[in-house]
Amino acid sequence: MCAIVHSFRINGVKMSGDNPKPPHSPESDFSKQWPSELSQYLNFDDDQWSYDDLDSFVSGHAFSHKTEAIEVDDGDEHEKNEVKDRVAFKTKSEIEIMDDGFKWRKYGKKMVKNSPNPRNYYRCSVEGCSVKKVVERDKDDPRYVITTYVGTHTHPSYS
DNA sequence: CGCATTTGACCAGCGC
DNA sequence: GCGCTGGTCAAATGCG
C-alpha cells in the first residue's frame, strides 16, 4: 500500500529540505487550519521524497501529531499521457467532510469489501478542474479517516 | 430557483 | 464468459 513519495510543490515552490515551510497551525485550530494547507501539498515534482522525509515533513508542520502519511503513488510505471498524482493521508478526525479550500461535490458512495465503512467519492466542482478525492474511514481505527487526493488542481483555491 | 447530496443503476477491468 | 468489485452516472430529492 505504500509507495515512493515524490517531492511536493507548495504555491508553485518546490519543496526541499531548505525551502521555506508553511506556517504551523496551532493545535486549537487544527481542525480548521490543516485542510487549507493540505490542499497545497497536492502537487508533485520530479525529485523524490522518501517516506521518512514526508513523515517528518508533515509531523513537523501542518499535521504534527494528528496525521501520518500512509501512501503516495507516483505512477511512473504508467506510460500513459496523463499522470494522476495520488496522495493519501490518514487523519484522526471525527468528521470526514472538511472544507479544505476547494469546492467539492460528492458523486458517489460505495461499500468496500475490505471495510465495513462506506467510501465517499468527491470531485472538484470548479469548471475545468477534475481533481477527485476519496474519503474513507479506517476499518481498524474508526477514529481515523483516510483521505486520498487524485489529480492536480488547475486553479487557485477559492475563499 | 439553483445548486449539492443521495442512492441505485450502470459500466469496465480483472480473476476464475 | 460470467460474476465480483470498485468507480462513475444521473434522476430524484433536499436545502438555502
Side-chain angles (χ1 to χ4, degrees), chain A residues 46-57:
Chain A
D46 301 323
D47 300 335
Q48 281 196 350
W49 278 50
S50 69
Y51 177 86
D52 291 333
D53 288 333
L54 175 64
D55 195 3
S56 62
F57 172 74

Side-chain angles (χ1 to χ4, degrees), chain A residues 5 7 9 22 24 53 61 65 68 83 86 88 94 96 99 110 112 123 139 143 147 149 151 153 155:
Chain A
V5 175
S7 66
R9 199 197 297 265
H24 178 271
D53 288 333
H61 299 284
H65 47 286
E68 52 180 310
V83 177
R86 202 172 117 194
E94 313 223 342
E96 302 93 356
D99 186 8
K110 202 66 176 178
V112 289
R123 194 198 301 272
K139 68 176 171 62
R143 309 187 297 263
T147 304
Y149 289 86
H153 287 285
H155 60 89

Side-chain angles (χ1 to χ4, degrees), chain A residues 18-91:
Chain A
D18 44 359
N19 277 345
K21 304 299 193 302
H24 178 271
S25 298
E27 182 178 357
S28 59
D29 294 331
F30 175 80
S31 61
K32 292 188 175 182
Q33 291 289 338
W34 77 262
S36 61
E37 294 185 355
L38 174 63
S39 64
Q40 300 174 349
Y41 299 154
L42 304 180
N43 293 328
F44 287 108
D45 207 338
D46 301 323
D47 300 335
Q48 281 196 350
W49 278 50
S50 69
Y51 177 86
D52 291 333
D53 288 333
L54 175 64
D55 195 3
S56 62
F57 172 74
V58 297
S59 61
H61 299 284
F63 320 110
S64 65
H65 47 286
K66 300 246 185 177
T67 304
E68 52 180 310
I70 59 169
E71 177 191 12
V72 172
D73 188 6
D74 54 17
D76 59 347
E77 292 296 332
H78 302 76
E79 294 183 358
K80 297 177 181 178
N81 295 334
E82 49 179 340
V83 177
K84 292 184 177 179
D85 297 330
R86 202 172 117 194
V87 186
F89 292 99
K90 188 164 105 178
T91 307

Side-chain angles (χ1 to χ4, degrees), chain A residues 11 32 35-37 39-40 97-105 123-127 129 133 153-159:
Chain A
N11 287 336
K32 292 188 175 182
S36 61
E37 294 185 355
S39 64
Q40 300 174 349
I97 317 263
M98 331 185 189
D99 186 8
D100 54 3
F102 294 98
K103 200 72 176 178
W104 299 103
R105 159 181 133 258
R123 194 198 301 272
C124 185
S125 64
V126 175
E127 190 227 345
C129 183
K133 100 177 173 184
H153 287 285
T154 60
H155 60 89
S157 63
Y158 94 112
S159 79

Side-chain angles (χ1 to χ4, degrees), chain A residues 4 22-23 56 59 70 72 100 104 115 117-118 120 122 127-128 130 137-138 142 145 156 159:
Chain A
I4 303 299
S56 62
S59 61
I70 59 169
V72 172
D100 54 3
W104 299 103
S115 169
N117 307 308
N120 298 295
Y122 298 88
E127 190 227 345
S130 60
R137 200 162 277 282
D138 194 331
V145 167
S159 79

